[in-house]
Every structure is written in structure tokens, then in C-alpha cells.
Amino acid sequence: PPTTVGLGFPIATRLVPADLRFVGATSPSGSFLPLVRGTQALARRAVAQGAAIVLVDTTGMVAGPIGVALKSRKLQALEPRHVLALQRTDELEPILHRLEGSGSARVHRLPVSSRVEKRSAAARRAYREARFADYFAMAERREYGWSALRFSGPRPGAGKRLPPEALARLGSGLDAEPLYGEVAGEAAFLLLAGSAAGVRGAAVRTFLEVREVRVRGLADIASVLLGLHDAGGRFLALGILDAPDPAGERLSILTPLPDPQA
């Protein structure tokens, strides 16, 4: 049976099956919307699977306007009944002041244990690297055609491919080597052999007569971390972009995903 703690609500002894959301970063900064929506979706999924209590362990980003904004958005999305505030002094008060003014949740201020040790940035980075190494220890390379995939960001395979002569003329004006390019409506996507740093987007827009252009370089996306999802958008596994093949319009991805067709 559930056991009761001093906060006045039961702690369930049955665990809900694990699920994950991919937000595209290892830091909350710059990923507010996917982070808040992902947290909300996971909490709702846990409730739908029968969890009586959902405990959300949030990130450590709490300082300054950015930290306050992130936690405030999470609170709005989750609408919790209780908020456990672990703070050494008063670092959470700007967040709690807003929350208590709304009267939407009961706040419990708790001290931080003296046995908690603060990890340095180097230690946190080493920990992440070790976890990633463990995760990809049994990974295999999977080949995918661009046309069989859908992308959440700038993507190939969504428009009409530029012919080699057009790429050559474009490259001479950019002082770069375009490997692949396409135009869809008034938007263009361009993949370069090296880095896209310093490439003038205005020159590409003028040449292709489009309003929007996304330029990426192989050097910029080498070993980028990917989130692999099924057709319904549910996260399946992580992947590492290994070797894009612009000529064959294929991607090689290193992933432990057991079913590559999923």
C-alpha cells in the first residue's frame, strides 16, 4: 500500500513505465518551448497510465529573469498541487512570490541537505559524456533515405532539387562548395561541403530568388545528436548523424534503436 509522508499526500509504490521527450539540447537555455511542452506531456502521460502522484524534478536553472520565466512557465503548464522548494538561502523567492500570489499551489520550503555536494561544470560534462558513452555502446549504423524521413528543422527532401550547374554558379559566387540544394516555394535549403560560417544568406536569396534560405555545412552538423521518433511523434531513441550522402540523398545514423523501421 502507499505510504504517507509529512507533506500530507501518499507516495505510490508502483512505478509508471519510463518515457522520454527530445528537446534538442542538454541545457534549458534556448529550448524553453519544447522543454515546457515536453514536461507537460510526460506528466499527462503518467496520469493517463494510472499514476496517483507525479513528482517533477525540475532543472537547476532558477536564477535571473530567464530562470524565473522558465519555472513560471512550467508551473503554468503543470498546475501542481504542491511545490517543494529546496533552497540554501532565498534564491527561489522570486519564483515562489509569483506562485504564492496566485494561490494555485501549496508551497513547502525545505532546506538543502548539508551532504549535497555541488558539482563543477567539468564534472557535469564528464558525467554526461559517460552516460552518452554507455547509451551508444551497443549502437549500430542505420541507413535512411531522405524521402523516408521527416525533419523538425531545416531539412532536405522538401522541395525541388537544384541541378549541378546551378550549384556550381552559386558556389562561385559564395566562394564555397555546395553539395546539395533545393527550393520549395519561396524557401531554399543549401548544404555545403565545409562550414556555413561566413556564408552570406542575402547572396543565396538573391541568386535563387527566394525570401528565406537555410544554409548548413557538413562541418557544422558532423556528429550532431538526433532524436528519432515514430510516425506518431513518440520518441524512440537517440542517434548521432554519422555521414550524410548528398549525392545519394541518404543519411547514416549511429543509434541503438532496435527496430530501424520504427
Side-chain angles (χ1 to χ4, degrees):
T3 57
T4 302
V5 297
L7 295 175
F9 55 84
I11 299 297
T13 56
R14 180 175 56 84
L15 297 179
V16 175
D19 198 358
L20 293 172
R21 297 280 290 199
F22 184 78
V23 300
T26 56
S27 170
S29 182
S31 304
F32 274 24
L33 181 58
L35 185 61
V36 171
R37 293 189 62 181
T39 304
Q40 182 186 54
L42 290 179
R44 288 177 175 176
R45 179 174 174 79
V47 172
Q49 291 181 343
I53 297 296
V54 179
L55 179 61
V56 180
D57 180 14
T58 63
T59 67
M61 180 176 282
V62 297
I66 295 179
V68 173
L70 175 59
K71 293 302 180 286
S72 298
R73 298 297 183 271
K74 279 188 177 181
L75 289 167
Q76 292 173 1
L78 294 170
E79 298 182 336
R81 287 183 291 157
H82 297 267
V83 173
L84 313 181
L86 292 100
Q87 58 182 346
R88 287 183 169 85
T89 55
D90 59 353
E91 61 268 24
L92 298 181
E93 292 307 318
I95 301 171
L96 302 179
H97 177 73
R98 291 189 179 189
L99 179 63
E100 290 180 322
S102 66
S104 59
R106 181 181 174 187
V107 176
H108 309 268
R109 289 174 172 81
L110 306 175
V112 177
S113 171
S114 59
R115 291 179 292 179
V116 172
E117 296 182 0
K118 185 175 181 178
R119 290 189 294 179
S120 65
R124 294 196 300 270
R125 182 170 57 252
Y127 175 77
R128 284 198 303 269
E129 290 175 353
R131 294 297 303 273
F132 277 126
D134 290 341
Y135 183 86
F136 286 101
M138 302 300 291
E140 298 181 21
R141 283 177 173 80
R142 307 292 190 184
E143 296 287 338
Y144 294 97
W146 291 352
S147 60
L149 301 176
R150 298 296 178 267
F151 300 85
S152 62
R155 61 198 185 279
K160 183 179 180 180
R161 183 169 182 171
L162 296 176
E165 55 271 20
L167 289 178
R169 294 197 306 271
L170 182 57
S172 62
L174 295 175
D175 194 22
E177 182 186 356
L179 299 176
Y180 179 91
E182 63 181 45
V183 176
E186 295 189 353
F189 175 82
L190 189 64
L191 182 64
L192 305 179
S195 174
V199 173
R200 294 175 292 113
V204 181
R205 290 195 297 269
T206 301
F207 180 87
L208 297 178
E209 298 180 347
V210 295
R211 292 187 176 182
E212 180 184 359
V213 61
R214 299 292 181 90
V215 183
R216 293 292 183 269
L218 287 184
D220 305 321
I221 62 175
S223 300
V224 70
L225 189 67
L226 307 173
L228 306 179
H229 304 75
D230 62 16
R234 182 175 180 182
F235 176 83
L236 300 175
L238 293 175
I240 296 176
L241 184 59
D242 182 35
D245 176 16
E249 298 187 9
R250 300 187 63 80
L251 296 177
S252 177
I253 298 174
L254 188 68
T255 177
L257 181 65
D259 179 11
Q261 297 302 315

